[in-house]
Amino acid sequence: MKAVIRTVLILILVLAAAAGGGAWYIWNGMQPVKPAGPAVTVTIEKGMGSSQIADLLEQEGIIKHSLFFKGYLKWVQEGSSFKAGTYQVSPGDSYDTLISRLNAGDVVKEATVTFTIPEGYTAVQVAEKLAAAWNQKPEVFLALIDSGKGMEAVSKLEIPDNPLLRHRLEGYLFPETYELAKDSTPQEVIGAMLEQLVKKLDTIPEWKAKLANRGLSLHELLTVASLVEREVVVDKERPLVAGIIYNRLDKGQKLEIDATVQYLLDKQKERLYEKDLKVDSPYNTYKQAGLPPGPISSPGLASIEAAMTPEVSDYFFYVTKKDGSQGHLFARTYKEHLANIQKSKQNP
């Protein structure tokens, strides 16, 4: 009898020891890995389940046993809301820490480049700005601006491929502050600027219908808007100057806009001379009737809206005031215009 009792007691002790050892083994396996070395970058792809994520964490040395992590996820009913992305995790992170970060999508922030394209910038200026931001040569970006290849928005915007254009995408690169991924390709950068124009146009109610009512293509609209952008500083004058441009076009009068001549020069001049106005180019509105072949700069939204909904007036002329206001004096006739020129000179 004593032998039987002793055998039972030994068996109980053995089972208890085995259970205790198993419990200790599981408990130890669930403990965080000892911190060692720098954080590890782990990418959770879209569609990966919690089981695959657990295996990946074990492979990367973040947890000791994926089996225990899987079991813990089932126990606490987690894992169904883990978000894809690239994470920085460290050996030593607890299960709860890992779960919290995966649920929150606490991913590594992508390195970005921020740059600003001011309103009225030309394609050449845009290329130089992008080159400085991405440490590239301007020619890399200008070649894309000239060709428009590899960008979906080119067909979406129906940008013409006219040999008379100096730069095909001139006027379509929306002036804005951008923050793009540092590893963006030149095509992606230019494409993002074109897509931004699409988004901005879509903020204008019924913009396509308005264009149709005026009998304008988007290309013609942006051309007018670019002229307004380069000619006007005071916002409230933009619709009025746009109206003057249309008045001249309707009458068949040459636009004679200085900005179109400045566009042809390597460097902007404070004052244009008679010889400058004689330069032979389809962009020279002193020699050519109608609109130039395309935009001469990147117009902002205010100029685009002004070109779309101009202010109706019987003005045909305007001259810049010399009083520092950057505003204009407007005239209906050439005689009034000459008087305004003299008036402007008397108010330095």
Side-chain angles (χ1 to χ4, degrees):
M1 186 66 179
K2 289 182 178 179
V4 173
I5 294 171
R6 184 170 56 220
T7 300
V8 172
L9 289 173
I10 291 172
L11 182 59
I12 292 171
L13 289 172
V14 169
L15 291 173
W24 181 87
Y25 177 74
I26 293 172
W27 177 85
N28 183 62
M30 292 177 63
Q31 297 309 300
V33 174
K34 288 184 179 180
V40 177
T41 300
V42 175
T43 298
I44 308 300
E45 304 289 350
K46 287 184 177 180
M48 286 181 68
S50 60
S51 181
Q52 293 172 292
I53 294 172
D55 291 339
L56 178 61
L57 293 175
E58 181 183 346
Q59 291 170 18
E60 296 293 340
I62 304 303
I63 58 176
K64 293 178 181 178
H65 300 289
S66 64
L67 180 62
F68 295 158
F69 188 56
K70 295 172 189 177
Y72 186 76
L73 291 176
K74 288 184 179 180
W75 178 261
V76 296
Q77 298 182 336
E78 291 282 5
S80 62
S81 299
F82 288 170
K83 295 176 175 60
T86 299
Y87 296 81
Q88 272 200 334
V89 291
S90 302
D93 287 345
S94 68
Y95 281 6
D96 288 336
T97 297
L98 293 170
I99 291 169
S100 176
R101 294 186 64 189
L102 290 167
N103 277 336
D106 186 14
V107 298
V108 177
K109 289 186 177 179
E110 193 174 24
T112 60
V113 172
T114 300
F115 63 95
T116 299
I117 303 300
E119 295 171 348
Y121 255 37
T122 64
V124 172
Q125 290 173 309
V126 170
E128 290 172 348
K129 191 83 170 182
L130 296 179
W134 261 272
N135 196 26
Q136 295 259 17
K137 292 183 178 179
E139 292 78 13
V140 172
F141 292 97
L142 197 58
L144 288 170
I145 293 171
D146 287 347
S147 69
K149 291 181 179 179
M151 287 158 276
E152 285 185 22
V154 170
S155 57
K156 189 186 300 184
L157 292 165
E158 299 180 351
I159 303 175
D161 191 6
N162 183 346
L164 293 178
L165 295 171
R166 296 191 81 196
H167 307 288
R168 186 182 181 190
L169 304 187
E170 184 80 82
Y172 291 84
L173 306 173
F174 193 78
E176 183 75 278
T177 295
Y178 295 84
E179 184 177 3
L180 301 177
K182 191 175 182 180
D183 60 357
S184 296
T185 65
Q187 288 91 343
E188 288 170 337
V189 175
I190 299 296
M193 299 177 72
L194 295 175
E195 289 292 347
Q196 186 65 6
L197 173 61
V198 174
K199 292 177 183 176
K200 291 296 183 180
L201 286 171
D202 287 340
T203 66
I204 303 173
E206 301 180 346
W207 71 269
K208 291 183 180 179
K210 290 176 180 177
L211 273 189
N213 288 338
R214 292 205 66 83
L216 291 174
S217 67
L218 177 60
H219 189 71
E220 290 169 328
L221 174 83
L222 292 177
T223 301
V224 174
S226 73
L227 299 178
V228 172
E229 189 64 61
R230 296 292 288 187
E231 287 283 284
V232 183
V233 174
V234 180
D235 280 343
K236 67 180 182 180
E237 291 185 354
R238 295 185 193 277
L240 187 55
V241 171
I244 291 173
I245 292 173
Y246 290 125
N247 285 348
R248 292 182 182 179
L249 290 172
D250 292 342
K251 189 179 179 181
Q253 179 180 328
K254 290 178 182 176
L255 294 180
E256 297 186 341
I257 290 177
D258 287 358
T260 62
V261 178
Q262 293 278 13
Y263 180 65
L264 300 170
L265 304 176
D266 292 332
K267 291 183 179 180
Q268 299 288 292
K269 291 184 175 181
E270 287 289 330
R271 177 187 171 190
L272 291 174
Y273 293 95
E274 193 67 30
K275 63 178 182 178
D276 297 319
L277 305 182
K278 294 179 180 179
V279 62
D280 188 20
S281 168
Y283 282 89
N284 185 354
T285 55
Y286 277 88
K287 291 192 68 175
Q288 308 294 336
L291 288 172
I296 62 171
S297 69
S298 293
L301 189 59
S303 291
I304 293 174
E305 290 179 322
M308 195 171 294
T309 53
E311 182 177 335
V312 177
S313 76
D314 52 0
Y315 290 132
F316 280 84
F317 303 92
Y318 58 92
V319 63
T320 304
K321 297 176 183 179
K322 300 297 190 295
D323 59 1
S325 67
Q326 297 182 307
H328 293 88
L329 296 172
F330 299 93
R332 296 169 179 81
T333 66
Y334 187 63
K335 183 178 180 180
E336 289 178 6
H337 180 56
L338 292 176
N340 280 343
I341 292 175
Q342 294 302 316
K343 184 178 179 180
S344 175
K345 289 179 179 179
Q346 294 169 7
N347 292 291

